[in-house]
Amino acid sequence: MLRTEEMEINMGPQHPSTHGVLRLILHLDGETIAGMRPVIGYLHRGVEKLAEHRTYAMIEPLTDRLDYVAAVSENLGWCGAVERLMGVTPPPRAEYLRVVLAELQRIASHLLWLGTHALDLGAMSVFFYTFREREMILDLFEAFCGARLTTNSMRIGGFLEDAPRDWLERVRHFLKIFPGRMKEYEDLLTKNRIFVGRTKDVGLLSAADAIALGVSGPPLRASGVSYDVRKATPYSAYPEFEFDIPVGKNGDTYDRYLVRMEELRQSCRIIGQALDRMPDGEVKAKVPKYIKPPPGEVYHAVESPRGEQGFYVISEGGEMPYRVRFRAPSFGNLQALETMCRGQLVADVVAVIGSIDIVLGDCDR
Amino acid sequence: MTGWLRTILLAELWVGLWTTLKNQFRPHVTVEYPRETVDLAPRFRGTPRLRYHPENGEELCIACHLCEVVCPCDCIHIVSEKKPEGKGKRLVSFEINLERCCFCGLCVDPCPTKPLTAIYMSHDYELADYSRTPFVAPLKTLLDGTTPHEYSK
Amino acid sequence: MEPRALVEQAVIPCLQVILVVLLIPLVIAYLQLVERKVLGFMQARLAPRRVGWHGLLQPIADAVKLLIKEDTIPARADRFLFTLAPIVSVVPALLALAVIPIGGVPFTLFGYEVRPYIADLDIGVLFLLAVGSLGIYGILLGGWASNSKYSLLGALRSGAQMISYEIPLGFALIGVMMLAGTASLVGIVEAQKAAGWWYVAPQILGFFCYFVSAVAETNRIPFDLPEAEAELVAGFHTEYSGMKFAFFFLAEYTNMIVVSALVTVAFFGGWLRPFPNVRALDWLENGWVLLVPLALGAFFGWMVDQRVGGGMRFLFVGGLLGGLIGFGIGAADLFGVATASAPQLAGAFWFGLKVSFFLFAYIWFRGTYPRYRYDQLMDLGWKWLLPMSIANVLLTGLVLLLRGGGAS
């Protein structure tokens, strides 16, 4: 009999399809993957250590740069965590605006995911179409916060300034044209036999495995577990909105795609409700000039587009936190990569990585 | 039955082709920089700059050091002295190290001067230069701004 | 041999060969520009525009860049084979152009008879298939000679893919040959003229098999996995740069043109107009006079940028201008002021139009579809296209038998 050996190849940190500086060491048995080891840490910047030497307001720009694709979700989580420590509640208008921004960010992040995922699989036009819509959302962010990507949008207690005068109208206009654009993406991908062939039954993850490995967000929901932080431990103004949580059946790449597409629709629904019921009033609660939360610790989680983004803050009463721990959803989701890829072909690895939607800034902090 | 027929006749593949063909004739979204530039929102956070006092032509800054304290990147360096006459302090030197600045805008929040803050985030983003020295911007550069290098074509 | 025959049989074909070999790189360079522009417009962006007016000098810039690039050969590569591989790829592709006819009737130029093809072999189709298969050697040699295991694997996959899809390609053409009764390309078009309709109508299954196999043969999306990510690098032409890479590139695009031309000749009537035997549509023979300026005007209008809300405006303006010019020429022809009709030009126009449409279809597919995975690709070729093409041959044979004696 011929003796076969496993081949070990390196899908290095520099690779167009790994969505950041992720290194994968693949053990191949012919074409199928026998084992895989992700090597992370290429984007580690020591954010948690940096946070110990900055005041609570100064940490917010740092959180922008954790999950740089979904900066508003990070800001929301951070401000929510500190507000819980201090016992401050932002006024209702601020909460509603925060929800609108967070859901717009979810749409923008999922559009980036969709574009890059389709591009990895070869459908390059979808990439340009999704970025065309993403540009509209980024323009909305620029009008509100001043920056497109590293938004630094919120402050502890609410916002610095209210929305510009025509901003809500522009959001409404975006909501009007977005469903038509979504139909374009669906026309090109959802029923396309080539796309379905590349994604169905690829990268299976069972519900038990997902829970055991600490997966959260759309990959967890695609495996059949109905867990969304917005419903499980509600925060901000989410209890006042009506929305569904899409749950998949098989836990394959196609289900993760469908779950995220449905989340896009649900986000539009939430924004529509928020715009309709937007309360008037001020946008910043009364907070002291120098923020010094009383001693204590808090764990505050938000549902970022990647999954459960957690903020664990220990305060000793000073201006700077004693310890800050960012729970990264991409780290947990990445752990499931080996389970998902075992037994698949090499060409499927690209599809699976694209479907988990990791951001290395979030994973490595 | 219709499902089987759709599969044979490649229905969804034609729909995909039609979608891209439609986009063939739609207007493009490219902004041909540097010939055209994007319109910036009023709140756009470009590089931080200082304002002149409207009356006496000096800087508006009162050297309170609040922006220096709040900057998360430690890029503002202010040296101040007590005013020889009257209350308060005045600037000796004000430097922002633009290589470290992360353009977060936190320096504008605590600035106490009214009605306009002494430090503000301008709309300049064309900051490229051929050497590193201009990036440690002294007071004069922060007040007057820089002109971007002209694109040759 | 008398001098006239010498010139007609030997010198003129040589001149035609030289013309083709000189023209094809230029055509392919501009085909590449058209591809980038079409893809760009489909993706809501503008494609090359800085070099020359609306990017028209971009191919020249690309060609100059490729020519002056450093010629690197990997350290322990086989130098002879490394240099030979692109040549082995390009020569069969160019050779295939020798039998492609752009018209049927010879015309006279300066008193000599010039045929609108370089050679009309009696076994034209067989020649094309054979020469197309030779091109695969170039890919395999290129991958082997690169001394890189990733290139080798990419080349093997690419080669296996091309060989698998040669078979349905051939079978699809057998159906056409059965209907036409000849394997000569000119003969196939003449047979379509005699039958009165293009062979795509009775051979729709064959056309489908042929075109899908052709896209797979030329390694284009949706079948370009060996080129795109094969073993996580760029496939068999990873190690090539400069003019050698340009040759591989040239070979790929020439294959595209050859295949499009073959599909036009075999299934879409070559140089025949639609419904070639219907008398009422005879005016279409001269219709090229109107349609060429129209098409050119629309084409240039489309190449110009599309401002917001502009959309089709430039297309219409260009088309209108072109239409007016064509109308003028046509009117002049009608009133005997000047003659513009010539059956050879009409034939060449229709041929060019159809080939352009198929090249556009290639680019259209590239902009729309994702890629097949390699095992799905091979499945498609062996489990679907091959049975379909064989079924097509059987069906054609049955119908011919039932209609009473097939073609001779």
Side-chain angles (χ1 to χ4, degrees):
Chain A
M1 263 327 275
L2 289 171
R3 191 176 62 101
T4 54
E5 278 186 5
E6 271 184 13
M7 186 165 70
E8 190 176 292
I9 61 175
N10 181 43
M11 201 163 153
Q14 280 174 315
H15 188 89
S17 310
T18 52
H19 297 293
V21 281
L22 172 66
R23 178 175 171 210
L24 293 174
I25 302 181
L26 302 169
H27 294 275
L28 296 180
D29 176 16
E31 276 280 326
T32 45
I33 296 183
M36 165 198 285
R37 195 159 63 89
V39 178
I40 58 173
Y42 288 91
L43 199 50
H44 180 72
R45 295 151 290 176
V47 173
E48 294 177 359
K49 177 67 182 172
L50 284 175
E52 289 175 12
H53 298 277
R54 279 156 177 73
T55 65
Y56 290 87
M58 284 153 69
I59 295 177
E60 199 180 329
L62 287 181
T63 58
D64 273 345
R65 287 152 174 83
L66 280 178
D67 179 356
Y68 38 79
V69 176
V72 171
S73 306
E74 309 273 330
N75 293 345
L76 180 59
W78 174 251
C79 292
V82 178
E83 283 160 8
R84 261 173 76 176
L85 262 184
M86 288 175 61
V88 165
T89 323
R93 186 177 171 86
E95 295 280 37
Y96 272 64
L97 281 175
R98 279 183 176 182
V99 167
V100 171
L101 279 176
E103 293 304 311
L104 277 176
Q105 181 68 272
R106 191 183 310 277
I107 297 178
S109 170
H110 282 340
L111 284 176
L112 186 138
W113 157 80
L114 182 62
T116 50
H117 192 209
L119 184 65
D120 286 340
L121 291 177
M124 49 172 98
S125 298
V126 179
F127 177 73
F128 289 98
Y129 299 158
T130 55
F131 267 69
R132 186 184 52 195
E133 270 71 75
R134 195 176 132 87
E135 280 299 305
M136 291 197 247
I137 300 183
L138 293 182
D139 283 341
L140 286 171
F141 283 166
E142 188 186 329
F144 194 117
C145 327
R148 288 149 45 99
L149 205 64
T150 51
T151 45
N152 198 17
S153 48
M154 308 168 192
R155 301 285 185 269
I156 296 169
F159 289 95
L160 193 65
E161 289 177 284
D162 203 345
R165 229 170 320 146
D166 61 345
W167 195 76
L168 293 171
E169 275 314 301
R170 285 170 68 180
V171 177
R172 224 180 269 280
H173 172 73
F174 172 76
L175 283 186
K176 212 166 25 184
I177 59 175
F178 190 61
R181 303 294 169 88
M182 265 200 70
K183 183 169 180 316
E184 268 187 24
Y185 316 145
E186 301 241 299
D187 277 344
L188 278 172
L189 291 176
T190 307
K191 294 213 198 69
N192 189 316
R193 62 190 64 193
I194 308 177
F195 184 76
V196 172
R198 284 301 293 268
T199 53
K200 218 162 179 38
D201 294 326
V202 164
L204 288 160
L205 185 67
S206 69
D209 276 339
I211 299 178
L213 287 164
V215 174
S216 59
L220 179 67
R221 291 196 278 279
S223 295
V225 180
S226 169
Y227 177 75
D228 185 327
V229 181
R230 294 175 290 176
K231 292 258 192 210
T233 49
Y235 54 94
S236 191
Y238 281 106
E240 302 177 36
F241 298 118
E242 227 181 79
F243 59 100
D244 300 319
I245 305 186
V247 171
K249 282 198 291 285
N250 301 338
D252 58 9
T253 306
Y254 190 60
D255 272 356
R256 289 190 274 274
Y257 163 81
L258 288 176
V259 162
R260 287 199 179 94
M261 295 300 273
E262 185 58 35
E263 281 192 2
L264 283 175
R265 285 190 209 100
Q266 294 298 322
S267 289
C268 287
R269 201 171 151 197
I270 299 178
I271 301 178
Q273 293 172 39
L275 288 177
D276 288 336
R277 291 187 259 150
M278 177 74 65
D280 297 316
E282 50 185 26
V283 288
K284 186 145 193 210
K286 273 235 144 299
V287 275
K289 194 166 174 201
Y290 293 103
I291 296 182
K292 286 200 197 145
E297 55 190 39
V298 72
Y299 175 76
H300 182 70
V302 292
E303 179 78 18
S304 93
R306 313 248 121 45
E308 177 177 340
Q309 182 86 42
F311 295 82
Y312 179 62
V313 187
I314 304 181
S315 150
E316 282 191 327
E319 269 194 334
M320 305 188 183
Y322 173 71
R323 171 83 169 101
V324 175
R325 163 95 177 117
F326 300 110
R327 189 245 179 229
S330 300
F331 189 82
N333 293 354
L334 194 59
Q335 290 183 94
L337 189 62
E338 178 168 10
T339 317
M340 282 194 245
C341 284
R342 208 173 291 139
Q344 307 283 339
L345 300 176
V346 174
D348 291 326
V349 171
V350 170
V352 174
I353 296 181
S355 80
I356 322 179
D357 192 17
I358 46 174
V359 169
L360 265 301
D362 183 33
C363 184
D364 289 343
R365 278 148 286 172
Chain B
M1 172 63 192
T2 46
W4 177 84
L5 207 63
R6 270 208 205 106
T7 316
I8 294 285
L9 293 177
L10 316 172
E12 86 281 352
L13 294 180
W14 297 110
V15 171
L17 284 178
W18 173 241
T19 312
T20 35
L21 192 65
K22 267 191 310 192
N23 274 291
Q24 172 82 268
F25 298 109
R26 289 219 193 107
H28 67 95
V29 294
T30 316
V31 172
E32 290 184 80
Y33 186 84
R35 248 187 1 187
E36 317 167 343
T37 46
V38 185
D39 291 328
L40 297 171
R43 292 189 195 175
F44 179 77
R45 296 200 303 255
T47 182
R49 292 215 191 287
L50 294 174
R51 283 204 173 92
Y52 279 109
H53 197 286
E55 278 141 35
N56 61 8
E58 288 183 350
E59 66 275 355
L60 190 54
C61 175
I62 58 170
C64 66
H65 290 259
L66 276 177
C67 55
E68 186 180 12
V69 163
V70 87
C71 175
C73 307
D74 296 329
C75 62
I76 304 185
H77 187 69
I78 303 177
V79 176
S80 61
E81 65 184 8
K82 203 157 153 17
K83 266 197 195 148
E85 66 285 322
K87 280 202 308 192
K89 295 203 272 202
R90 69 166 181 197
L91 277 182
V92 172
S93 82
F94 192 117
E95 263 178 11
I96 297 186
N97 186 347
L98 288 175
E99 285 185 306
R100 301 197 63 166
C101 176
C102 67
F103 299 85
C104 62
L106 282 181
C107 48
V108 183
D109 299 353
C111 188
T113 54
K114 291 202 175 358
L116 290 173
T117 52
I119 189 170
Y120 70 104
M121 301 303 276
S122 64
H123 281 193
D124 287 336
Y125 54 89
E126 290 161 324
L127 305 169
D129 209 310
Y130 288 100
S131 74
R132 281 202 157 158
T133 357
F135 289 140
V136 183
L139 182 59
K140 200 84 184 59
T141 319
L142 290 172
L143 282 169
D144 293 332
T146 50
T147 48
H149 289 273
E150 271 299 309
Y151 190 61
S152 60
K153 197 156 85 98
Chain C
M1 200 191 265
E2 80 179 53
R4 169 169 291 265
L6 183 71
V7 170
E8 282 178 5
Q9 301 282 356
V11 173
I12 291 190
C14 285
L15 287 176
Q16 283 176 322
V17 166
I18 294 175
L19 190 71
V20 163
V21 168
L22 285 180
L23 264 188
I24 279 293
L26 199 68
V27 166
I28 288 182
Y30 278 91
L31 177 63
Q32 217 248 328
L33 176 69
V34 168
E35 169 167 16
R36 286 164 76 170
K37 281 234 164 260
V38 170
L39 274 181
F41 287 155
M42 272 183 192
Q43 292 161 355
R45 61 184 173 95
L46 300 170
R49 288 198 44 188
R50 307 282 297 171
V51 186
W53 187 76
H54 288 286
L56 282 175
L57 287 181
Q58 181 75 37
I60 314 283
D62 282 341
V64 170
K65 176 201 81 162
L66 285 169
L67 279 170
I68 63 179
K69 250 194 157 106
E70 180 190 348
D71 190 21
T72 53
I73 300 187
R76 280 187 295 274
D78 188 332
R79 297 183 82 89
F80 176 64
L81 287 181
F82 194 77
T83 319
L84 190 66
I87 303 177
V88 172
S89 258
V90 163
V91 169
L94 288 175
L95 207 58
L97 287 170
V99 286
I100 305 281
I102 58 173
V105 181
F107 56 95
T108 47
L109 196 65
F110 304 124
Y112 292 109
E113 183 187 81
V114 176
R115 291 183 298 260
Y117 42 81
I118 301 180
D120 178 32
L121 298 176
D122 275 341
I123 49 163
V125 171
L126 202 60
F127 175 76
L128 273 175
L129 287 175
V131 152
S133 306
L134 280 180
I136 303 179
Y137 278 112
I139 295 181
L140 293 174
L141 278 177
W144 170 259
S146 295
N147 193 37
S148 152
K149 65 180 166 201
Y150 301 130
S151 297
L152 181 62
L153 287 168
L156 286 176
R157 282 188 160 166
S158 205
Q161 174 186 326
M162 290 171 83
I163 293 176
S164 323
Y165 279 88
E166 288 269 341
I167 305 181
L169 203 82
F171 271 109
L173 287 173
I174 289 182
V176 166
M177 286 196 284
M178 284 163 78
L179 282 182
T182 166
S184 131
L185 289 172
V186 177
I188 291 180
V189 179
E190 296 290 336
Q192 286 177 71
K193 185 166 178 144
W197 58 354
W198 293 345
Y199 277 160
V200 68
Q203 289 279 310
I204 186 85
L205 194 62
F207 165 66
F208 171 72
C209 287
Y210 182 85
F211 198 61
V212 174
S213 304
V215 176
E217 268 294 298
T218 45
N219 276 336
R220 298 275 297 185
I221 287 188
F223 302 106
D224 77 336
L225 188 67
E227 258 179 23
E229 303 154 66
E231 302 299 303
L232 322 170
V233 286
F236 66 92
H237 52 67
T238 320
E239 304 286 339
Y240 282 88
S241 66
M243 214 49 206
K244 298 199 182 76
F245 174 71
F247 266 29
F248 272 125
F249 202 63
L250 204 75
E252 177 177 326
Y253 276 83
T254 313
N255 270 325
M256 267 170 68
I257 295 183
V258 165
V259 148
S260 305
L262 189 55
V263 90
T264 316
V265 160
F267 294 98
F268 278 85
W271 59 83
L272 301 172
R273 63 159 199 268
F275 304 110
N277 285 345
V278 177
R279 286 284 124 204
L281 289 174
D282 256 354
W283 58 271
L284 270 181
E285 280 296 322
N286 290 342
W288 68 272
V289 165
L290 192 70
L291 290 171
V292 164
L294 192 82
L296 280 177
F299 180 71
F300 273 106
W302 164 82
M303 288 275 275
V304 174
D305 55 357
Q306 303 156 325
R307 291 279 144 213
V308 176
M312 303 274 283
R313 188 176 55 197
F314 283 103
L315 206 81
F316 282 138
V317 167
L320 198 68
L321 271 174
L324 284 173
I325 296 176
F327 213 63
I329 302 180
D333 183 28
L334 201 65
F335 292 112
V337 174
T339 44
S341 57
Q344 290 83 14
L345 282 173
F349 163 72
W350 285 111
F351 183 78
L353 192 70
K354 293 172 209 170
V355 171
S356 315
F357 174 70
F358 282 108
L359 290 172
F360 175 73
Y362 262 104
I363 303 172
W364 202 2
F365 284 5
R366 182 171 177 197
T368 312
Y369 295 137
R371 287 184 197 111
Y372 269 114
R373 203 174 58 211
Y374 192 64
D375 59 322
Q376 295 168 336
L377 203 156
M378 298 302 262
D379 265 359
L380 194 72
W382 289 99
K383 291 192 200 166
W384 290 98
L385 285 182
L386 185 60
M388 263 203 275
S389 52
I390 294 181
N392 179 47
V393 168
L394 289 175
L395 203 65
T396 313
L398 197 68
V399 168
L400 282 177
L401 196 66
L402 290 177
R403 271 209 304 178
S408 56

